Amino acid sequence: MNIWIKPTGDFMAHRVRFRSLLGAAVVTALGLTILAPPAASARPASPNAVLAWNVHAQTAIFEVARQSPTAGARSFAMVQGAVYDAANAIAGVPYEPYLVAPPARRGDSTPAAVAAAAYRVLLSLFPAQAEALRVRYDETLAGVPDGAAEQRGVGVGEVTAAAMIAERQNDGAFAAATWPVGTAPGQYRLTPPGFVQAGAWFAALKPFAIDPADHRVSGPPALTSAAYARQLNEVKAIGSATSTLRTQDQTEAATWWDDYRQVEWSIKRDLAADHRLSSLETARLLAMADVATADAMISCYAQKRQWSFWRPVDAIPLAGTDGNPATVADPAWAPLRVTAPSPEWPSGHACYTSAIMTALRKFFGRDNLSFSAYSADSGTTRHFDSLSSARNELMEARIWAGVHYRGAVVQGDRLGAAVTRDVLAHEFGRRR
């Protein structure tokens, strides 16, 4: 059996180490040899198993496991990275592999490869869901004609899944890390209503593609500055649970964007379906967005840890301690939406959405894409005529929700875009 491993070039040392380990461990165990990739081009496949398994991934990651959007970013990146490598291999490796490119023939089953890649990664992440995942897997294979093409497709998917699982072993996920908590003005403190420590491990998670230390944000304004007073007073006025300044549409937007069943998940799938992307194109789109998002969140959480700034939910009731005569404490103040349990600066949601929209812009080559999505939390559907308009509304919505200052969302948006551009400058491009 043969396998092509992507040249490391100038990529990160952890990726180089992985590929060395792959040659010594996975390759040996599977009886693989290394050779140059065959030349081929992508060909459409129907139905699109990539979209089907992205829905299955959402079910496993969120609907059943209830992972937070941040934790889920790692899981989605793992699934979609393995799926991409599988689809890319069967298409003849027209794009740079993320990790590996197993040998494949033109007639090998892409649906079988996609299903095997996604199934094996999800099973490694959620062994308690083995029965339900097996049902979905068997359903997919039942729709694939029996024979060598199916068997070879399954083999391709299993190799790419094994590579991803090996790459993410001991990557720091769910480590017992905590956020630094202080009591001085401006210092982060645990937020109501739960006052829990959550998600701090993401700041030290092993990156998927680039070094998060290469990307930083400017810190929050000084507590005694006019800039700080403006930002605090803005969120205090329009982000309050009882605000009379916020319009009904702004309230709806704040709720719509805050849905834990992330609207971005369906936006990506709908754009792929609306543009009739092939299985390979869909796999590449989702991998670009999800791998970039994971690295954007790692960088974002590392910056949150560095600045460790207090959230509006604490800063407004304690404004009498900040030394700024332009701020006034309101002990009864509460935000429209619940504040996430992480430091303020920058906004994680802005990092997340900016990364996705930047990846979509890179893939489609234009900003003026039309899309809609429904939120069960708001009970409404919102429509956008461009990626930038969605990014802009998300930034405003986090202020309308009362959970972020304007500077935090601006910095988060910039960080997500910068990390994504860096990731996509190194990954998922056409093979030279």
Side-chain angles (χ1 to χ4, degrees):
M1 198 175 181
N2 299 319
I3 187 169
W4 179 66
I5 301 178
K6 172 182 169 184
T8 57
D10 295 325
F11 296 110
M12 294 180 59
H14 83 277
R15 298 283 297 283
V16 176
R17 288 196 298 272
F18 166 73
R19 290 176 178 115
S20 297
L21 289 172
L22 182 67
V26 177
V27 172
T28 300
L30 295 175
L32 307 174
T33 58
I34 299 173
L35 80 173
S41 59
R43 53 184 168 81
S46 181
N48 195 330
V50 178
L51 290 179
W53 275 93
N54 186 257
V55 173
H56 298 333
Q58 179 181 324
T59 298
I61 294 166
F62 178 74
E63 313 296 345
V64 178
R66 308 306 285 184
Q67 285 191 346
S68 70
T70 303
R74 169 183 178 267
S75 299
F76 274 111
M78 290 178 64
V79 172
Q80 298 307 148
V83 165
Y84 163 79
D85 273 349
N88 191 43
I90 290 181
V93 202
Y95 296 101
E96 291 286 350
Y98 172 64
L99 291 177
V100 292
R105 302 181 185 179
R106 294 294 187 91
D108 292 350
S109 172
T110 296
V114 166
Y119 168 67
R120 291 298 178 186
V121 173
L122 288 169
L123 186 63
S124 75
L125 292 170
F126 309 108
Q129 298 185 43
E131 183 176 352
L133 289 169
R134 184 72 198 195
V135 169
R136 301 283 83 79
Y137 182 56
D138 289 345
E139 286 175 350
T140 301
L141 295 189
V144 177
D146 293 337
E150 178 190 40
Q151 294 170 3
R152 288 194 299 266
V154 168
V156 168
E158 289 186 340
V159 171
T160 65
M164 180 62 75
I165 293 166
E167 166 74 348
R168 301 311 299 182
Q169 285 291 316
N170 303 314
D171 65 357
F174 305 102
T178 57
W179 296 112
V181 175
T183 57
Q187 291 182 337
Y188 175 68
R189 56 211 65 203
L190 301 182
T191 56
F195 301 97
V196 297
Q197 280 278 2
W201 56 270
F202 217 91
L205 186 68
K206 184 174 84 170
F208 280 79
I210 58 96
D211 187 349
D214 292 340
H215 298 277
R216 302 175 183 274
V217 301
S218 300
L223 295 184
T224 56
S225 68
Y228 174 73
R230 283 195 303 272
Q231 293 185 43
L232 182 136
N233 288 331
E234 178 185 32
V235 69
K236 179 182 180 183
I238 203 167
S240 166
T242 58
S243 174
T244 58
L245 297 179
R246 190 178 54 245
T247 67
Q248 179 57 40
D249 184 67
Q250 290 169 339
T251 298
E252 176 190 305
T255 304
W256 189 88
W257 281 106
D258 200 44
D259 194 333
Y260 256 43
R261 188 178 284 102
Q262 297 284 281
V263 293
E264 290 92 340
W265 298 336
S266 64
I267 288 171
K268 289 180 288 185
R269 288 193 294 264
D270 289 349
L271 282 171
D274 290 347
H275 289 261
R276 300 180 181 180
L277 300 185
S278 69
S279 292
L280 173 59
E281 290 169 333
T282 305
R284 181 170 175 259
L285 168 65
L286 295 176
M288 287 170 65
D290 290 346
V291 169
T293 298
D295 273 4
M297 294 305 291
I298 294 169
S299 183
C300 185
Y301 270 50
Q303 290 298 286
K304 281 176 175 285
R305 187 174 193 87
Q306 175 178 333
W307 297 111
S308 194
F309 200 56
W310 61 2
R311 303 291 291 250
V313 71
D314 290 312
I316 293 169
L318 296 173
T321 69
D322 62 19
N324 194 321
T327 65
V328 177
D330 181 355
W333 189 90
L336 173 67
R337 301 293 293 178
V338 173
T339 300
S342 65
E344 164 63 6
W345 205 273
S347 161
H349 203 148
C351 291
Y352 182 98
T353 300
S354 176
I356 291 172
M357 298 301 165
T358 302
L360 293 173
R361 174 68 175 81
K362 174 68 174 179
F363 180 89
F364 287 104
R366 59 192 177 95
D367 180 63
N368 61 331
L369 298 171
S370 295
F371 52 93
S372 303
Y374 171 80
S375 161
D377 276 11
S378 67
T380 59
T381 297
R382 297 186 74 80
H383 174 81
F384 301 92
D385 291 320
S386 69
L387 299 167
S388 57
S389 64
R391 277 174 68 177
N392 291 336
E393 184 177 90
L394 176 278
M395 289 193 286
E396 298 295 336
R398 302 312 281 163
I399 301 168
W400 299 335
V403 297
H404 283 299
Y405 311 107
R406 182 166 296 277
V409 295
V410 169
Q411 293 295 327
D413 179 77
R414 291 174 180 171
L415 181 61
V419 171
T420 300
R421 287 192 295 267
D422 193 2
V423 169
L424 299 185
H426 293 89
E427 303 290 345
F428 310 113
R430 283 205 171 271
R431 196 161 52 82
R432 297 181 178 85

